[in-house]
Amino acid sequence: EIVLTQSPGTLSLSPGERATLSCRASQSVSSSYLAWYQQKPGQAPRLLIYAASTRATGIPDRFSGSGSGTDFTLTISRLEPEDFAVYYCQQYGSSLTFGGGTKVEIK
Amino acid sequence: EVQLVESGGGLVQPGGSLRLSCAASGFTSSSYWMSWVRQAPGKGLEWVANIKQDGSEEYYVDSVKGRFTISRDNAKNSLYLQMNSLRADDTAVYYCARQRGSGSLDYWGQGTLVTVSS
């Protein structure tokens, strides 16, 4: 099973700042099979990025994904108030697994 | 508009059974793999199971193998999760989700809460 480790666990930032979230895999993941999700309290997760760098429908361009192999990154260029949430990475190669999540909170 | 609506959650005693349903609309469900994902209270996401378009393949996370069964009825645009021998650590909100070819989950239901407790 591929284990995904997200860091940091919590990111404290102010609106307008840049957020950089990391997702590291225990073995190589095909870029085609790496996704990112946003989840707000009491809501279902929402797909942000698939295939490591492709934004899902309706996702603003301040969200971007990059990386390959075992290291992937989600970047939010300028945090909006609605972006404070928990973010998960997910892979689908060997089975399907999620990372533990990164909480982006208001500083 | 794509919609997924789960039902069937509730309170069940340890060792009991429960069957979750997910009604799909707004797309041809027979064209997609479908998944169940759960989230224990205050915890992260855990994929539980998925099933191929025609139901010919199904996969499970190790912790539910032999206890849970995923199935689908494409004529009814429905997905199911039969959960047997439930344990306290199965307590979670269970989501159904549509799975893209890349394995990403692009539409999710609102979730149904399963509580396993005596």
Side-chain angles (χ1 to χ4, degrees), chain A residues 92 95-96, chain B residues 4 22 24 27-36 47 49-60 70-72 74 79 96-107:
Chain A
Y92 184 57
S95 187
L96 194 159
Chain B
L4 297 168
C22 172
F27 68 103
T28 305
S29 59
S30 59
S31 297
Y32 293 86
W33 282 74
M34 297 292 293
S35 276
W36 286 99
W47 170 78
N50 62 2
I51 187 167
K52 194 175 180 180
Q53 290 92 331
D54 61 359
S56 61
E57 294 179 35
E58 50 196 77
Y59 300 94
Y60 301 89
I70 189 172
S71 62
R72 65 193 300 164
N74 288 334
L79 177 71
C96 69
R98 190 177 83 168
Q99 184 174 322
R100 297 171 52 98
S102 64
S104 58
L105 305 172
D106 61 351
Y107 287 94

Side-chain angles (χ1 to χ4, degrees), chain A residues 5-91:
Chain A
T5 302
Q6 292 188 240
S7 61
T10 302
L11 201 50
S12 299
L13 295 168
S14 301
E17 290 194 293
R18 181 183 187 92
T20 303
L21 287 65
S22 173
C23 176
R24 179 161 292 177
S26 59
Q27 54 187 283
S28 185
V29 174
S30 168
S31 295
S32 297
Y33 300 138
L34 194 289
W36 290 91
Y37 301 83
Q38 176 193 68
Q39 187 179 33
K40 297 179 181 179
Q43 296 185 16
R46 176 174 71 145
L47 177 66
L48 296 176
I49 301 285
Y50 64 93
S53 61
T54 303
R55 278 187 299 277
T57 303
I59 302 303
D61 61 6
R62 64 180 181 273
F63 291 91
S64 63
S66 63
S68 64
T70 60
D71 289 293
F72 298 88
T73 300
L74 174 70
T75 301
I76 310 171
S77 58
R78 294 173 310 280
L79 283 164
E80 297 288 341
E82 63 267 28
D83 298 337
F84 291 91
V86 180
Y87 293 83
Y88 296 94
C89 58
Q90 172 245 317
Q91 67 82 28

